[in-house]
Protein backbone atom coordinates (compact mmCIF):
# COMPACT_ATOMS: atom_id res chain seq x y z
CA UNK A 1 0.00 0.00 0.00
CA UNK A 2 1.46 3.39 -0.92
CA UNK A 3 1.08 6.52 1.12
CA UNK A 4 -1.74 7.93 -0.98
CA UNK A 5 -3.95 4.91 -0.70
CA UNK A 6 -3.44 4.87 3.08
CA UNK A 7 -5.17 8.23 3.06
CA UNK A 8 -7.99 7.11 0.82
CA UNK A 9 -9.94 5.31 3.50
CA UNK A 10 -12.14 7.27 5.80
CA UNK A 11 -15.08 6.78 8.09
CA UNK A 12 -17.21 9.51 6.51
CA UNK A 13 -17.26 11.34 3.21
CA UNK A 14 -19.46 14.35 2.46
CA UNK A 15 -19.52 14.76 -1.33
CA UNK A 16 -20.30 17.69 -3.62
CA UNK A 17 -21.02 20.27 -0.94
CA UNK A 18 -20.43 24.00 -0.99
CA UNK A 19 -17.54 24.17 1.47
CA UNK A 20 -17.54 27.31 3.63
CA UNK A 21 -14.32 26.70 5.53
CA UNK A 22 -14.69 29.19 8.39
CA UNK A 23 -11.79 31.45 7.39
CA UNK A 24 -13.97 33.94 5.54
CA UNK A 25 -12.47 32.92 2.18
CA UNK A 26 -14.80 32.35 -0.80
CA UNK A 27 -16.58 29.00 -0.64
CA UNK A 28 -15.58 26.17 -2.98
CA UNK A 29 -17.40 23.12 -4.30
CA UNK A 30 -15.95 19.80 -3.17
CA UNK A 31 -15.75 16.91 -0.75
CA UNK A 32 -14.73 16.61 2.88
CA UNK A 33 -13.39 13.34 4.32
CA UNK A 34 -13.43 12.49 8.01
CA UNK A 35 -11.66 9.66 9.77
CA UNK A 36 -12.44 9.21 13.43
CA UNK A 37 -12.63 12.65 15.02
CA UNK A 38 -10.55 14.54 12.46
CA UNK A 39 -10.91 15.92 8.95
CA UNK A 40 -8.54 13.98 6.68
CA UNK A 41 -9.37 15.29 3.21
CA UNK A 42 -10.75 18.50 1.69
CA UNK A 43 -11.37 19.16 -2.00
CA UNK A 44 -11.56 16.35 -4.55
CA UNK A 45 -11.90 13.02 -2.76
CA UNK A 46 -12.84 10.99 -5.82
CA UNK A 47 -11.78 7.39 -5.27
CA UNK A 48 -11.77 7.56 -1.48
CA UNK A 49 -13.38 4.60 0.24
CA UNK A 50 -15.69 5.61 3.06
CA UNK A 51 -17.75 3.66 5.56
CA UNK A 52 -20.51 6.24 5.09
CA UNK A 53 -21.11 8.67 2.22
CA UNK A 54 -23.41 11.68 2.46
CA UNK A 55 -24.48 13.54 -0.67
CA UNK A 56 -24.00 17.25 0.01
CA UNK A 57 -25.40 18.45 -3.34
CA UNK A 58 -27.22 21.75 -2.96
CA UNK A 59 -26.06 22.07 0.65
CA UNK A 60 -23.36 24.06 2.41
CA UNK A 61 -20.84 22.42 4.73
CA UNK A 62 -19.34 24.64 7.41
CA UNK A 63 -17.39 24.13 10.62
CA UNK A 64 -19.79 23.54 13.51
CA UNK A 65 -20.86 26.85 15.01
CA UNK A 66 -19.18 27.98 18.21
CA UNK A 67 -21.63 29.71 20.54
CA UNK A 68 -19.17 31.95 22.35
CA UNK A 69 -21.66 33.43 24.78
CA UNK A 70 -23.73 30.94 26.75
CA UNK A 71 -25.00 30.11 30.19
CA UNK A 72 -25.08 26.38 29.44
CA UNK A 73 -22.94 25.42 32.48
CA UNK A 74 -25.70 23.29 33.94
CA UNK A 75 -27.69 22.57 30.76
CA UNK A 76 -24.91 20.35 29.39
CA UNK A 77 -25.29 18.17 32.49
CA UNK A 78 -29.09 18.40 32.86
CA UNK A 79 -30.07 18.11 29.17
CA UNK A 80 -27.06 16.43 27.56
CA UNK A 81 -28.62 16.09 24.09
CA UNK A 82 -28.49 19.92 23.95
CA UNK A 83 -31.18 19.98 21.27
CA UNK A 84 -31.58 23.77 21.54
CA UNK A 85 -28.01 24.20 20.37
CA UNK A 86 -27.17 21.26 18.08
CA UNK A 87 -30.43 21.88 16.18
CA UNK A 88 -28.90 25.24 15.14
CA UNK A 89 -25.61 23.67 14.05
CA UNK A 90 -23.76 24.58 17.25
CA UNK A 91 -21.01 22.10 18.15
CA UNK A 92 -19.18 24.02 20.91
CA UNK A 93 -20.44 26.34 23.64
CA UNK A 94 -18.44 28.71 25.81
CA UNK A 95 -20.07 28.77 29.25
CA UNK A 96 -19.39 30.70 32.46
CA UNK A 97 -20.16 34.10 30.96
CA UNK A 98 -21.29 37.35 32.61
CA UNK A 99 -19.33 36.73 35.82
CA UNK A 100 -21.35 33.68 36.82
CA UNK A 101 -19.97 30.16 36.43
CA UNK A 102 -21.31 26.97 38.00
CA UNK A 103 -17.69 26.23 38.98
CA UNK A 104 -15.75 27.06 41.01
CA UNK A 105 -18.54 27.86 43.46
CA UNK A 106 -18.97 27.26 47.19
CA UNK A 107 -22.56 27.45 48.41
CA UNK A 108 -23.99 28.53 51.73
CA UNK A 109 -23.97 32.28 51.22
CA UNK A 110 -27.12 32.74 49.19
CA UNK A 111 -27.49 33.08 45.44
CA UNK A 112 -27.59 36.77 44.47
CA UNK A 113 -28.97 37.75 41.06
CA UNK A 114 -28.22 36.78 38.34
CA UNK A 115 -26.89 33.41 39.67
CA UNK A 116 -30.40 31.85 39.60
CA UNK A 117 -30.04 31.89 35.78
CA UNK A 118 -27.77 28.85 36.23
CA UNK A 119 -30.03 26.95 38.61
CA UNK A 120 -31.00 26.68 42.25
CA UNK A 121 -28.51 26.61 45.09
CA UNK A 122 -28.62 22.80 45.24
CA UNK A 123 -27.36 22.71 41.63
CA UNK A 124 -24.12 24.45 42.60
CA UNK A 125 -22.14 21.36 43.59
CA UNK A 126 -18.73 22.09 42.07
CA UNK A 127 -16.24 23.82 44.38
CA UNK A 128 -13.54 23.46 41.72
CA UNK A 129 -13.36 23.43 37.92
CA UNK A 130 -11.80 19.99 38.10
CA UNK A 131 -14.87 18.64 39.98
CA UNK A 132 -17.07 20.10 37.21
CA UNK A 133 -14.81 18.72 34.51
CA UNK A 134 -14.87 15.23 36.08
CA UNK A 135 -18.65 15.24 36.09
CA UNK A 136 -18.74 16.54 32.49
CA UNK A 137 -16.36 13.84 31.29
CA UNK A 138 -18.18 11.07 33.16
CA UNK A 139 -21.48 11.90 31.42
CA UNK A 140 -20.54 13.98 28.37
CA UNK A 141 -23.15 15.91 26.39
CA UNK A 142 -23.66 16.00 22.62
CA UNK A 143 -21.41 19.03 22.11
CA UNK A 144 -18.10 20.47 23.31
CA UNK A 145 -17.81 23.01 26.09
CA UNK A 146 -15.17 25.49 27.17
CA UNK A 147 -15.58 27.21 30.54
CA UNK A 148 -14.83 30.73 31.71
CA UNK A 149 -14.34 31.45 35.41
CA UNK A 150 -16.90 33.93 36.73
CA UNK A 151 -15.61 36.91 38.66
CA UNK A 152 -18.87 37.02 40.66
CA UNK A 153 -18.42 33.32 41.48
CA UNK A 154 -14.94 34.11 42.85
CA UNK A 155 -16.38 37.04 44.83
CA UNK A 156 -19.08 34.89 46.46
CA UNK A 157 -16.49 32.20 47.28
CA UNK A 158 -14.21 34.70 49.01
CA UNK A 159 -16.43 37.59 50.20
CA UNK A 160 -19.48 35.43 51.00
CA UNK A 161 -22.61 37.60 51.13
CA UNK A 162 -20.72 40.87 51.80
CA UNK A 163 -20.45 41.95 48.16
CA UNK A 164 -21.42 45.63 48.11
CA UNK A 165 -17.82 46.83 48.36
CA UNK A 166 -14.36 46.44 46.86
CA UNK A 167 -12.40 43.32 47.77
CA UNK A 168 -9.64 43.84 50.35
CA UNK A 169 -6.02 43.15 49.40
CA UNK A 170 -6.17 39.73 51.09
CA UNK A 171 -9.46 38.86 49.41
CA UNK A 172 -8.09 39.91 46.04
CA UNK A 173 -5.02 37.71 46.53
CA UNK A 174 -7.35 34.82 47.45
CA UNK A 175 -9.44 35.40 44.29
CA UNK A 176 -6.30 35.52 42.15
CA UNK A 177 -5.16 32.20 43.60
CA UNK A 178 -8.56 30.60 43.00
CA UNK A 179 -8.53 31.92 39.42
CA UNK A 180 -5.08 30.36 38.90
CA UNK A 181 -6.46 27.08 40.21
CA UNK A 182 -9.44 27.25 37.83
CA UNK A 183 -7.17 27.98 34.86
CA UNK A 184 -4.86 25.10 35.83
CA UNK A 185 -7.94 22.86 35.96
CA UNK A 186 -8.78 23.81 32.37
CA UNK A 187 -10.86 27.00 32.41
CA UNK A 188 -10.07 29.17 29.36
CA UNK A 189 -10.35 32.61 30.95
CA UNK A 190 -12.21 35.04 33.18
CA UNK A 191 -15.65 36.60 32.75
CA UNK A 192 -17.20 39.54 34.56
CA UNK A 193 -20.76 40.80 35.01
CA UNK A 194 -19.98 44.30 36.23
CA UNK A 195 -23.53 45.56 35.78
CA UNK A 196 -24.89 42.98 38.23
CA UNK A 197 -25.32 43.30 42.03
CA UNK A 198 -22.52 40.89 43.10
CA UNK A 199 -19.88 42.79 41.07
CA UNK A 200 -21.00 46.35 40.56
CA UNK A 201 -19.03 47.65 43.55
CA UNK A 202 -15.85 46.01 42.28
CA UNK A 203 -13.50 48.79 41.13
CA UNK A 204 -11.54 48.66 37.86
CA UNK A 205 -8.32 47.88 39.77
CA UNK A 206 -9.86 44.66 41.10
CA UNK A 207 -10.71 43.54 37.58
CA UNK A 208 -7.31 44.49 36.17
CA UNK A 209 -5.55 42.59 38.98
CA UNK A 210 -7.56 39.47 38.16
CA UNK A 211 -7.30 39.82 34.38
CA UNK A 212 -3.52 40.18 34.75
CA UNK A 213 -3.40 36.59 36.10
CA UNK A 214 -4.54 35.46 32.64
CA UNK A 215 -1.20 36.48 31.17
CA UNK A 216 0.38 33.53 33.02
CA UNK A 217 -1.76 31.15 30.91
CA UNK A 218 -1.34 30.98 27.16
CA UNK A 219 -4.33 32.11 25.06
CA UNK A 220 -6.52 32.90 28.11
CA UNK A 221 -9.19 35.50 27.53
CA UNK A 222 -11.13 38.14 29.43
CA UNK A 223 -14.85 38.43 28.52
CA UNK A 224 -16.98 41.14 30.07
CA UNK A 225 -20.63 41.96 30.49
CA UNK A 226 -19.76 45.59 31.00
CA UNK A 227 -20.62 47.86 33.90
CA UNK A 228 -23.17 49.76 31.81
CA UNK A 229 -24.91 49.08 28.50
CA UNK A 230 -27.16 52.16 28.57
CA UNK A 231 -26.50 55.81 29.35
CA UNK A 232 -22.86 55.18 30.29
CA UNK A 233 -22.08 52.57 27.64
CA UNK A 234 -19.19 54.56 26.19
CA UNK A 235 -17.50 54.91 29.59
CA UNK A 236 -17.97 51.16 30.07
CA UNK A 237 -16.33 50.45 26.68
CA UNK A 238 -13.45 52.71 27.70
CA UNK A 239 -13.07 50.89 31.03
CA UNK A 240 -12.99 47.57 29.16
CA UNK A 241 -10.37 48.80 26.71
CA UNK A 242 -8.24 50.06 29.60
CA UNK A 243 -8.57 46.77 31.53
CA UNK A 244 -7.58 44.74 28.47
CA UNK A 245 -4.67 47.06 27.73
CA UNK A 246 -3.35 47.09 31.30
CA UNK A 247 -3.70 43.32 31.69
CA UNK A 248 -2.32 42.68 28.20
CA UNK A 249 -4.85 39.98 27.34
CA UNK A 250 -7.35 39.12 24.61
CA UNK A 251 -10.58 40.86 25.62
CA UNK A 252 -14.18 40.32 24.47
CA UNK A 253 -17.10 42.69 25.06
CA UNK A 254 -20.10 40.45 25.71
CA UNK A 255 -23.46 40.90 23.96
CA UNK A 256 -22.61 44.43 22.86
CA UNK A 257 -25.63 46.74 22.71
CA UNK A 258 -26.77 50.29 23.37
CA UNK A 259 -29.75 49.82 25.67
CA UNK A 260 -32.66 52.16 26.20
CA UNK A 261 -34.40 54.40 23.65
CA UNK A 262 -32.29 57.45 24.43
CA UNK A 263 -29.11 55.52 23.57
CA UNK A 264 -30.34 54.29 20.19
CA UNK A 265 -27.76 55.12 17.54
CA UNK A 266 -24.83 55.33 19.92
CA UNK A 267 -23.13 52.23 18.49
CA UNK A 268 -21.42 54.67 16.12
CA UNK A 269 -19.57 56.02 19.19
CA UNK A 270 -18.86 52.67 20.85
CA UNK A 271 -17.72 50.98 17.63
CA UNK A 272 -15.40 53.90 16.83
CA UNK A 273 -13.76 53.50 20.25
CA UNK A 274 -13.50 49.74 19.75
CA UNK A 275 -12.00 50.13 16.26
CA UNK A 276 -9.40 52.60 17.54
CA UNK A 277 -8.41 50.19 20.34
CA UNK A 278 -8.24 47.22 17.95
CA UNK A 279 -5.41 48.94 16.13
CA UNK A 280 -3.10 48.19 19.06
CA UNK A 281 -4.71 45.56 21.31
CA UNK A 282 -6.63 42.30 21.01
CA UNK A 283 -10.29 43.23 21.42
CA UNK A 284 -13.40 41.52 20.07
CA UNK A 285 -17.10 41.42 20.86
CA UNK A 286 -20.07 39.15 20.63
CA UNK A 287 -23.64 39.92 19.69
CA UNK A 288 -27.00 38.15 19.27
CA UNK A 289 -29.39 38.97 16.41
CA UNK A 290 -32.35 40.35 18.38
CA UNK A 291 -33.36 43.79 19.64
CA UNK A 292 -34.59 42.37 22.94
CA UNK A 293 -32.31 41.26 25.77
CA UNK A 294 -32.99 38.80 28.58
CA UNK A 295 -31.76 38.24 32.11
CA UNK A 296 -33.08 38.15 35.68
CA UNK A 297 -36.06 40.42 36.38
CA UNK A 298 -34.24 43.49 37.75
CA UNK A 299 -35.57 47.04 38.28
CA UNK A 300 -32.74 48.78 36.36
CA UNK A 301 -33.54 46.73 33.26
CA UNK A 302 -37.28 47.41 33.57
CA UNK A 303 -36.55 51.16 33.66
CA UNK A 304 -34.51 51.01 30.42
CA UNK A 305 -37.06 49.05 28.36
CA UNK A 306 -39.90 49.82 26.01
CA UNK A 307 -41.65 46.56 26.94
CA UNK A 308 -40.98 43.64 29.29
CA UNK A 309 -42.04 39.98 28.96
CA UNK A 310 -41.80 37.51 31.85
CA UNK A 311 -39.84 34.29 31.04
CA UNK A 312 -40.46 32.58 34.40
CA UNK A 313 -41.45 33.47 37.95
CA UNK A 314 -40.93 31.16 40.92
CA UNK A 315 -43.78 32.61 43.05
CA UNK A 316 -46.11 33.16 40.04
CA UNK A 317 -45.27 30.50 37.43
CA UNK A 318 -48.51 31.19 35.50
CA UNK A 319 -47.21 34.68 34.59
CA UNK A 320 -44.54 33.29 32.22
CA UNK A 321 -45.04 34.63 28.71
CA UNK A 322 -47.05 37.68 29.86
CA UNK A 323 -46.24 41.40 29.67
CA UNK A 324 -45.13 43.04 32.91
CA UNK A 325 -47.37 46.05 32.14
CA UNK A 326 -50.45 43.81 31.92
CA UNK A 327 -49.58 42.04 35.17
CA UNK A 328 -49.13 45.41 36.91
CA UNK A 329 -52.55 46.54 35.59
CA UNK A 330 -54.17 43.38 36.81
CA UNK A 331 -52.57 43.71 40.24
CA UNK A 332 -53.31 47.44 40.29
CA UNK A 333 -49.72 48.42 41.08
CA UNK A 334 -46.65 49.98 39.45
CA UNK A 335 -44.57 47.73 37.12
CA UNK A 336 -41.59 47.93 39.52
CA UNK A 337 -43.79 46.71 42.37
CA UNK A 338 -45.10 43.87 40.20
CA UNK A 339 -41.50 42.98 39.30
CA UNK A 340 -40.63 42.76 42.99
CA UNK A 341 -43.55 40.40 43.66
CA UNK A 342 -42.63 38.18 40.70
CA UNK A 343 -38.98 37.72 41.75
CA UNK A 344 -37.13 35.28 41.60
CA UNK A 345 -38.00 35.67 37.93
CA UNK A 346 -36.56 36.19 34.47
CA UNK A 347 -37.58 38.64 31.77
CA UNK A 348 -37.16 39.73 28.16
CA UNK A 349 -36.50 43.44 27.65
CA UNK A 350 -37.29 45.28 24.41
CA UNK A 351 -34.57 47.90 24.61
CA UNK A 352 -32.47 48.00 21.42
CA UNK A 353 -32.45 49.53 17.96
CA UNK A 354 -32.22 47.47 14.77
CA UNK A 355 -29.70 49.83 13.13
CA UNK A 356 -27.36 49.48 16.12
CA UNK A 357 -27.70 45.72 15.94
CA UNK A 358 -26.78 45.65 12.25
CA UNK A 359 -23.84 48.00 12.77
CA UNK A 360 -22.52 45.86 15.64
CA UNK A 361 -23.09 42.51 13.89
CA UNK A 362 -21.14 43.61 10.81
CA UNK A 363 -18.33 45.37 12.70
CA UNK A 364 -14.73 44.07 12.68
CA UNK A 365 -14.12 41.47 15.41
CA UNK A 366 -17.84 40.80 16.04
CA UNK A 367 -18.73 37.17 16.72
CA UNK A 368 -22.16 35.57 17.05
CA UNK A 369 -23.07 34.41 20.56
CA UNK A 370 -26.59 33.49 21.64
CA UNK A 371 -26.60 34.47 25.34
CA UNK A 372 -29.43 31.93 25.44
CA UNK A 373 -30.90 31.20 28.85
CA UNK A 374 -31.96 27.58 29.23
CA UNK A 375 -34.51 26.73 31.87
CA UNK A 376 -37.22 29.39 31.64
CA UNK A 377 -40.81 28.50 30.81
CA UNK A 378 -40.88 30.99 27.91
CA UNK A 379 -37.18 31.67 27.23
CA UNK A 380 -35.92 34.33 24.85
CA UNK A 381 -36.01 32.77 21.34
CA UNK A 382 -32.27 33.39 20.94
CA UNK A 383 -31.78 30.12 22.85
CA UNK A 384 -33.02 28.11 19.84
CA UNK A 385 -32.80 30.61 16.99
CA UNK A 386 -29.63 32.70 17.03
CA UNK A 387 -27.43 31.13 14.35
CA UNK A 388 -30.12 30.28 11.76
CA UNK A 389 -31.60 33.76 12.27
CA UNK A 390 -28.29 35.38 11.28
CA UNK A 391 -28.11 33.16 8.18
CA UNK A 392 -31.70 33.90 7.18
CA UNK A 393 -32.39 37.49 8.21
CA UNK A 394 -28.96 39.09 7.92
CA UNK A 395 -27.36 37.00 5.16
CA UNK A 396 -30.16 35.92 2.86
CA UNK A 397 -32.84 38.57 3.35
CA UNK A 398 -30.95 41.75 4.16
CA UNK A 399 -27.54 40.86 2.66
CA UNK A 400 -25.82 42.61 5.56
CA UNK A 401 -23.15 39.88 5.55
CA UNK A 402 -22.17 37.41 2.87
CA UNK A 403 -22.39 33.75 3.85
CA UNK A 404 -18.63 33.32 4.22
CA UNK A 405 -18.31 36.35 6.49
CA UNK A 406 -21.25 35.27 8.67
CA UNK A 407 -19.86 31.74 9.04
CA UNK A 408 -16.42 33.17 9.91
CA UNK A 409 -18.04 35.12 12.77
CA UNK A 410 -19.61 31.87 14.03
CA UNK A 411 -16.52 29.65 13.66
CA UNK A 412 -12.96 30.59 12.66
CA UNK A 413 -12.93 34.06 14.22
CA UNK A 414 -14.41 32.64 17.42
CA UNK A 415 -11.95 29.74 17.68
CA UNK A 416 -9.06 32.12 17.12
CA UNK A 417 -10.32 34.69 19.67
CA UNK A 418 -11.08 32.10 22.35
CA UNK A 419 -7.93 30.06 21.65
CA UNK A 420 -9.75 26.85 20.67
CA UNK A 421 -7.14 24.90 18.73
CA UNK A 422 -8.08 22.92 15.61
CA UNK A 423 -11.71 24.00 15.85
CA UNK A 424 -13.74 26.43 13.78
CA UNK A 425 -12.29 25.54 10.37
CA UNK A 426 -12.55 22.97 7.64
CA UNK A 427 -8.94 21.91 7.05
CA UNK A 428 -7.02 18.65 7.07
CA UNK A 429 -6.14 17.90 10.70
CA UNK A 430 -8.93 19.96 12.25
CA UNK A 431 -11.53 18.28 14.44
CA UNK A 432 -14.58 17.08 12.53
CA UNK A 433 -17.10 19.49 14.06
CA UNK A 434 -19.31 20.17 11.04
CA UNK A 435 -22.75 21.39 10.03
CA UNK A 436 -24.43 20.55 6.74
CA UNK A 437 -27.27 22.95 5.93
CA UNK A 438 -29.33 24.41 3.13
CA UNK A 439 -28.24 28.04 2.68
CA UNK A 440 -31.42 28.76 0.67
CA UNK A 441 -33.87 27.66 3.35
CA UNK A 442 -32.09 27.77 6.70
CA UNK A 443 -34.19 29.81 9.12
CA UNK A 444 -35.06 30.21 12.78
CA UNK A 445 -38.60 29.28 13.76
CA UNK A 446 -38.31 30.12 17.48
CA UNK A 447 -40.48 33.16 18.31
CA UNK A 448 -41.28 35.13 21.45
CA UNK A 449 -44.63 33.29 21.57
CA UNK A 450 -43.22 29.83 20.77
CA UNK A 451 -39.56 30.01 21.69
CA UNK A 452 -38.62 26.33 21.89
CA UNK A 453 -38.59 25.45 18.20
CA UNK A 454 -35.76 23.84 16.22
CA UNK A 455 -34.56 25.68 13.13
CA UNK A 456 -35.43 24.67 9.58
CA UNK A 457 -32.75 23.82 7.06
CA UNK A 458 -30.10 22.27 9.31
CA UNK A 459 -29.50 18.85 7.79
CA UNK A 460 -26.77 17.04 9.74
CA UNK A 461 -24.49 18.11 12.61
CA UNK A 462 -21.26 16.32 13.54
CA UNK A 463 -19.30 16.71 16.76
CA UNK A 464 -15.83 15.12 16.79
CA UNK A 465 -16.85 13.08 13.73
CA UNK A 466 -20.09 11.74 15.27
CA UNK A 467 -23.60 12.70 14.08
CA UNK A 468 -25.50 14.41 16.92
CA UNK A 469 -28.38 15.96 14.95
CA UNK A 470 -30.01 14.20 12.03
CA UNK A 471 -32.46 16.55 10.34
CA UNK A 472 -35.26 16.72 12.87
CA UNK A 473 -33.97 15.35 16.14
CA UNK A 474 -30.93 14.58 18.29
CA UNK A 475 -29.36 11.19 17.60
CA UNK A 476 -28.64 10.50 21.27
CA UNK A 477 -24.87 10.38 20.67
CA UNK A 478 -22.75 12.23 23.25
CA UNK A 479 -19.29 12.85 21.80
CA UNK A 480 -18.78 16.28 23.46
CA UNK A 481 -15.45 17.15 25.07
CA UNK A 482 -14.30 19.58 27.71
CA UNK A 483 -12.06 21.92 25.74
CA UNK A 484 -8.98 23.45 27.32
CA UNK A 485 -6.11 25.54 26.09
ZN1 LIG B 1 -24.48 39.17 30.29
Amino acid sequence: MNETSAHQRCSLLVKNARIVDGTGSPSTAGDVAVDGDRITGVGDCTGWRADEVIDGSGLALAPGFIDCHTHDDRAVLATPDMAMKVSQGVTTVVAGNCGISLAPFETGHGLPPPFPLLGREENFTFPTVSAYRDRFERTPPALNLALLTGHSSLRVNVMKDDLERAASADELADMQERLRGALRDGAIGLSTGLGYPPAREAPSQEITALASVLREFDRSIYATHMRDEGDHVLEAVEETIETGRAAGVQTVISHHKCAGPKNYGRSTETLAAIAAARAHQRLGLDVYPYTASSTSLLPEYVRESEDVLITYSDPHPDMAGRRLADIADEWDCEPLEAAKRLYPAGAIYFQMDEDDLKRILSSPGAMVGSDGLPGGTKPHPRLWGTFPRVLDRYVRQQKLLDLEDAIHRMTGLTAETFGLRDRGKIAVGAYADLVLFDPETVTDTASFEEPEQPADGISTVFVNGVVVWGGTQPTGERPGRFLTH
Side-chain angles (χ1 to χ4, degrees), residues 49-312:
R49 277 183 295 159
D51 300 336
E52 192 192 351
V53 177
I54 294 179
D55 181 13
S57 304
L59 300 175
L61 185 67
F65 305 146
I66 300 171
D67 189 349
C68 67
H69 193 100
T70 84
H71 297 284
D72 290 338
D73 311 36
R74 192 167 74 85
V76 291
L77 308 177
T79 55
D81 68 16
M82 291 298 286
M84 75 283 199
K85 292 294 167 73
V86 297
S87 61
Q88 300 182 50
V90 172
T91 57
T92 295
V93 295
V94 178
N97 274 285
C98 298
I100 56 169
S101 54
L102 200 62
F105 196 89
E106 288 168 14
T107 48
H109 314 289
L111 218 50
F115 279 98
L117 295 177
L118 294 180
R120 295 170 198 273
E121 197 158 0
E122 65 262 28
N123 302 125
F124 286 75
T125 56
F126 306 103
T128 62
V129 168
S130 96
Y132 178 82
R133 181 178 177 175
D134 284 351
R135 169 68 209 284
F136 180 100
E137 289 176 343
R138 240 185 359 260
T139 54
L143 44 60
N144 307 309
L145 171 140
L147 187 68
L148 295 165
T149 302
H151 165 239
S152 293
S153 297
L154 295 172
R155 285 196 124 221
V156 172
N157 290 348
V158 169
M159 301 166 68
K160 319 296 181 201
D161 56 3
D162 183 15
L163 300 164
E164 301 276 312
R165 60 181 176 85
S168 69
D170 283 353
E171 287 166 337
L172 183 54
D174 191 353
M175 284 197 270
Q176 287 177 313
E177 208 36 52
R178 287 168 193 252
L179 175 59
R180 279 190 192 94
L183 294 163
R184 271 186 226 111
D185 286 351
I188 62 160
L190 172 74
S191 78
T192 55
L194 298 175
Y196 286 125
R200 63 188 165 205
E201 298 303 328
S204 296
Q205 303 89 291
E206 179 178 322
I207 313 307
T208 303
L210 285 165
S212 298
V213 167
L214 300 171
R215 257 205 319 265
E216 300 162 24
F217 296 82
D218 253 9
R219 290 185 286 273
S220 288
I221 75 135
Y222 170 54
T224 179
H225 170 145
M226 300 190 300
R227 208 176 283 282
D228 195 290
E229 297 182 303
D231 295 357
H232 301 286
V233 64
L234 189 59
E235 291 92 315
V237 167
E238 281 160 0
E239 179 188 15
T240 302
I241 291 169
E242 179 52 25
T243 303
R245 192 200 57 77
V249 295
Q250 169 73 57
T251 301
V252 173
I253 295 173
S254 298
H255 44 59
H256 188 38
K257 64 175 76 73
C258 296
K262 62 179 185 291
N263 297 303
Y264 291 174
R266 295 190 61 202
S267 61
T268 50
E269 298 166 45
T270 60
L271 293 174
I274 291 167
R278 278 172 55 84
H280 48 80
Q281 70 188 79
R282 290 174 294 152
L283 178 65
L285 56 104
D286 64 69
V287 59
Y288 49 79
Y290 297 85
T291 54
S293 68
S294 183
T295 185
S296 290
L297 180 57
L298 295 168
E300 56 271 38
Y301 281 83
V302 172
R303 280 189 214 107
E304 276 183 351
S305 301
E306 296 182 56
D307 204 0
V308 179
L309 281 176
I310 304 303
T311 56
Y312 77 93

Side-chain angles (χ1 to χ4, degrees), residues 212-447:
S212 298
V213 167
L214 300 171
R215 257 205 319 265
E216 300 162 24
F217 296 82
D218 253 9
R219 290 185 286 273
S220 288
I221 75 135
Y222 170 54
T224 179
H225 170 145
M226 300 190 300
R227 208 176 283 282
D228 195 290
E229 297 182 303
D231 295 357
H232 301 286
V233 64
L234 189 59
E235 291 92 315
V237 167
E238 281 160 0
E239 179 188 15
T240 302
I241 291 169
E242 179 52 25
T243 303
R245 192 200 57 77
V249 295
Q250 169 73 57
T251 301
V252 173
I253 295 173
S254 298
H255 44 59
H256 188 38
K257 64 175 76 73
C258 296
K262 62 179 185 291
N263 297 303
Y264 291 174
R266 295 190 61 202
S267 61
T268 50
E269 298 166 45
T270 60
L271 293 174
I274 291 167
R278 278 172 55 84
H280 48 80
Q281 70 188 79
R282 290 174 294 152
L283 178 65
L285 56 104
D286 64 69
V287 59
Y288 49 79
Y290 297 85
T291 54
S293 68
S294 183
T295 185
S296 290
L297 180 57
L298 295 168
E300 56 271 38
Y301 281 83
V302 172
R303 280 189 214 107
E304 276 183 351
S305 301
E306 296 182 56
D307 204 0
V308 179
L309 281 176
I310 304 303
T311 56
Y312 77 93
S313 161
D314 282 350
H316 299 280
D318 49 316
M319 294 300 170
R322 297 195 54 195
R323 295 174 63 235
L324 180 64
D326 294 341
I327 298 169
D329 270 357
E330 202 168 295
W331 290 351
D332 196 19
C333 66
E334 290 301 312
L336 287 174
E337 171 59 26
K340 205 189 286 176
R341 289 190 214 165
L342 288 160
Y343 194 83
I348 291 165
Y349 304 94
F350 292 85
Q351 55 166 202
M352 287 174 252
D353 175 55
E354 175 81 12
D355 288 341
D356 282 324
L357 167 54
K358 290 199 278 195
R359 226 175 269 132
I360 293 168
L361 182 61
S362 58
S363 71
M367 298 167 283
V368 178
S370 72
D371 199 12
L373 298 174
T377 315
K378 287 277 184 188
H380 190 302
R382 67 194 183 186
L383 179 65
W384 287 77
T386 290
F387 291 81
R389 182 172 169 91
V390 170
L391 298 174
D392 173 6
R393 189 174 167 89
Y394 296 106
V395 173
R396 203 169 56 237
Q397 291 182 37
Q398 300 193 13
K399 303 188 176 11
L400 176 72
L401 304 170
D402 63 32
L403 182 65
E404 289 84 352
D405 186 13
I407 296 291
H408 179 56
R409 294 168 188 276
M410 300 172 175
T411 59
L413 177 63
T414 319
E416 194 182 301
T417 305
F418 284 77
L420 305 175
R421 269 175 298 184
D422 297 333
R423 306 275 172 189
K425 61 188 172 191
I426 294 183
V428 171
Y431 286 100
D433 293 343
L434 297 163
V435 52
L436 188 64
F437 64 98
D438 186 341
E440 300 306 320
T441 63
V442 64
T443 187
D444 57 310
T445 65
S447 62

Side-chain angles (χ1 to χ4, degrees), residues 1-10 35 47-49:
M1 205 197 297
N2 65 32
E3 207 178 285
T4 315
S5 64
H7 285 278
Q8 288 177 342
R9 293 196 63 89
C10 58
D35 201 41
W48 286 54
R49 277 183 295 159

